[in-house]
Amino acid sequence: MFCMVGERINTTRKRVQQAVADRDAAYIQQDVQAQQQCGAQYIDINAGARIGHETKDMQWLLEVVQPVVTVPLCLDSPDPKVLAMAYERVQKPPMINSISLEKARFDAMAPFLEGKKCKIVALCLDDSGLPKTALQIVQRAETIVMRLAGLGFSRDAVYVDPLVQPVSTDTKNGAMVLEAVSEIRKALAGVHIICGLSNISYGLPKRKIINRTFLSLMMAAGLDAAILDPLDADLTAVLKTTQMLLGQDLYCAKYLKAFRAGELPG
Amino acid sequence: MTDFTTIMEVLIEGDEAALVERVNEALNQGSDPREILDQALIAGMDIVGERMETGEMFIPEVLMAARAMNAALEIIKPLLTGAGARAAGKVVIGTVKGDLHDIGKNLVTMMLESAGLEVYNLGADVAPEQFVEALKSTGAGLLCLSALLTTTMPMIRETVEAVVQSGIRNRVKIMVGGAPVTEAFAREIGADGYAADAGSAAKMAKALLAGSVV
């Protein structure tokens, strides 16, 4: 079962930032309902873009989003204080986005996370910076899964993010992360693997075709979750088709359902 | 007098082998290495920067052109002597403390080097005092600061303040950039310039060093 985390409620997006600044609840509520209808299993909430307003913006978003969706939230902030505040205000066990192996960040997050019943996105990032080889990504995944186990997180609660880097700045970046995902799938049975898609296409034209092709390849390698736009019909069509081709759609039922609903372009 | 147009063309195409051949040819025909550098190579990279800014060229193509440029520089540099050997200016660049992103910053570094500047790249996660120290020891006239996170943007401000505190602000121009950084933010924190991409960064850096932006 592939886990789709809806990425749209993020204040770095201009329209969302405007709605948050205006306290336009209707806009936000409509958006999250649409994401849920399109299959989002978590709704990501990121209130970080208006510097100095993150706590209040996050609080407000949680108030307006929760009454209108049934799926849990993905609390997206690098600030443990914001995450702790938000955690107290959610009705369903959330996904926390994110923790990394950067020492200051891990140490700040650990006391808050210990024993919590939530999912967590674990970035393969440490103080030496972005990973440079597939092996490095796998080693960091192993380390962070082990350290989270020490805080009471089972593998099923951990969503490892291998960190996708642009293929435009180094042509090997695509193959590197694909290899890493295959290896993590083998080395860490039961763990989930998640990523954002759009980094891969930075610096190139027609980014959407790159993103969706990449999603398909990543799923074949073992990716079982992604932070994406559930309203992007071209993208979710690739997602459903790939699930079918990988044998994850019994009797092609979901694919055919999408076809009858007119959700498959082309 | 050699025609520099073909040198520029093969440089923009990123054809390393052809560029090396054309540069050697021009030298054999008696062209001045300084002229080749300024009128063909740096001028060619200026066009690459402009085309990147307008979206006509993409990052992999810019990287190919830069690789060709480096090969040409290896031939040209040893031939420059005296006043001709001086770089157009010195630059200190880095990603601010707490931020590990360096892809964009490295692209900017490459474009600055291709513009004939001497660049001291301090890497990522660089503390304000390290920037100040590097500015003092190199005598650089331009500081370039990058941040890729909204959470590390305030560190740009702190770094600018550290430069002011150190007493060298009057001889150092400051340029800032990175995904969440805007022109308004640059102005607010008292930076001298902002660049949205690596192409415009090279142009802005040269303008700042020449004193044509105030």
Side-chain angles (χ1 to χ4, degrees):
Chain A
M1 180 70 172
F2 193 88
C3 177
M4 206 196 292
V5 179
E7 70 183 2
R8 295 171 57 87
I9 303 301
N10 188 320
T11 47
T12 57
R13 296 180 66 222
K14 280 206 179 73
R15 187 62 190 83
V16 171
Q17 182 165 148
Q18 190 64 49
V20 170
D22 298 343
R23 294 295 187 252
D24 180 353
Y27 177 85
I28 300 291
Q29 288 174 333
Q30 248 166 25
D31 190 291
V32 294
Q33 281 172 319
Q35 291 191 64
Q36 177 169 322
Q37 260 160 28
C38 290
Q41 280 130 298
Y42 283 87
I43 305 285
D44 190 90
I45 309 284
N46 182 319
R50 299 201 318 141
I51 293 167
H53 297 270
E54 187 178 11
T55 303
K56 285 240 159 69
D57 286 353
M58 178 63 96
Q59 250 169 14
W60 179 77
L61 281 167
L62 297 177
E63 273 165 33
V64 302
V65 166
Q66 292 193 88
V68 298
V69 292
T70 54
V71 293
L73 304 182
C74 175
L75 305 173
D76 187 353
S77 171
D79 185 343
K81 286 198 287 289
V82 171
L83 291 172
M85 176 280 293
Y87 192 89
E88 293 307 312
R89 285 170 165 76
V90 292
Q91 287 140 16
K92 297 194 175 68
M95 183 182 285
I96 299 285
N97 186 10
S98 54
I99 192 167
S100 76
L101 287 167
E102 293 162 277
K103 191 176 183 314
R105 188 159 172 187
F106 194 95
D107 291 351
M109 289 278 286
F112 155 68
L113 284 176
E114 184 143 30
K116 290 279 193 304
K117 287 268 166 287
C118 61
K119 310 284 186 187
I120 182 138
V121 177
L123 309 181
C124 293
L125 181 66
D126 69 17
D127 288 315
S128 67
L130 292 165
K132 288 170 188 70
T133 63
L135 180 64
Q136 226 175 28
I137 300 175
V138 178
Q139 285 169 343
R140 292 176 186 190
E142 286 170 338
T143 307
I144 200 160
V145 166
M146 185 186 75
R147 295 200 57 189
L148 285 169
L151 297 175
F153 284 82
S154 68
R155 284 188 181 181
D156 182 50
V158 180
Y159 288 72
V160 170
D161 184 335
L163 294 184
V164 175
Q165 298 175 61
V167 77
S168 65
T169 56
D170 186 336
T171 320
K172 294 190 293 292
N173 278 340
M176 173 176 83
V177 75
L178 286 165
E179 186 191 337
V181 169
S182 301
E183 290 301 317
I184 292 170
R185 196 34 85 228
K186 279 184 250 167
L188 294 165
V191 83
H192 297 285
I193 307 173
I194 194 167
C195 73
L197 299 171
S198 56
N199 271 1
I200 194 73
S201 58
Y202 169 79
L204 289 167
K206 300 279 180 199
R207 295 182 65 173
K208 285 190 161 188
I209 179 119
I210 303 172
N211 297 347
R212 359 187 234 274
T213 309
F214 180 62
L215 173 64
S216 194
L217 289 168
M218 285 287 271
M219 288 171 71
L223 188 84
D224 66 348
I227 303 175
L228 50 75
D229 180 359
L231 271 58
D232 181 341
D234 291 331
L235 182 64
T236 54
V238 166
L239 200 162
K240 283 174 187 141
T241 309
T242 305
Q243 281 183 302
M244 174 179 73
L245 294 173
L246 292 174
Q248 298 163 4
D249 182 9
L250 206 56
Y251 296 104
C252 311
K254 286 180 194 155
Y255 179 84
L256 292 171
K257 194 175 160 212
F259 161 69
R260 294 215 167 81
E263 290 167 8
L264 301 178
Chain B
M1 178 67 199
T2 318
D3 179 16
F4 287 153
T5 323
T6 52
I7 296 186
M8 279 170 65
E9 275 170 9
V10 290
L11 170 63
I12 293 166
E13 280 165 21
D15 189 338
E16 184 179 338
L19 181 65
V20 167
E21 203 177 305
R22 294 278 179 285
V23 167
N24 281 325
E25 204 175 82
L27 289 168
N28 289 337
Q29 287 166 10
S31 289
D32 176 42
R34 184 80 230 178
E35 278 178 14
I36 298 175
L37 179 64
D38 288 340
Q39 293 166 30
L41 299 174
I42 293 179
M45 287 307 290
D46 283 347
I47 295 174
V48 170
E50 275 164 29
R51 290 190 184 171
M52 186 188 188
E53 209 180 325
T54 57
E56 288 163 85
M57 278 179 81
F58 299 97
I59 289 172
E61 295 167 320
V62 175
L63 290 172
M64 259 174 82
R67 185 192 58 176
M69 177 74 177
N70 279 334
L73 283 176
E74 274 177 38
I75 303 169
I76 294 283
K77 267 194 175 159
L79 305 175
L80 299 174
T81 49
R86 248 200 338 261
K90 289 183 189 173
V91 185
V92 166
I93 189 170
T95 307
V96 297
K97 190 177 169 183
D99 198 324
L100 298 166
H101 294 83
D102 62 0
I103 291 173
K105 183 261 303 165
N106 288 342
L107 278 172
V108 172
T109 301
M110 200 187 69
M111 292 306 285
L112 296 180
E113 283 171 344
S114 298
L117 302 173
E118 192 175 335
V119 185
Y120 299 87
N121 182 353
L122 307 188
D125 192 16
V126 181
E129 57 274 17
Q130 289 172 279
F131 280 114
V132 170
E133 205 181 291
L135 287 168
K136 284 181 175 165
S137 65
T138 62
L142 178 65
L143 172 64
C144 298
L145 300 172
S146 166
L148 256 288
L149 303 168
T150 52
T151 47
T152 52
M153 262 170 72
M155 191 50 77
I156 296 185
R157 185 196 299 268
E158 282 185 40
T159 307
V160 172
E161 275 161 17
V163 176
V164 173
Q165 292 299 316
S166 72
I168 55 168
R169 180 70 179 94
N170 58 351
R171 68 156 182 84
V172 176
K173 299 279 189 197
I174 301 177
M175 177 166 85
V176 299
V181 178
T182 61
E183 182 135 34
F185 174 79
R187 237 174 300 163
E188 185 196 318
I189 61 163
D192 303 296
Y194 158 80
D197 56 68
S200 53
K203 202 160 72 180
M204 176 62 84
K206 283 200 276 190
L208 286 170
L209 283 164
S212 55
V213 178
V214 281

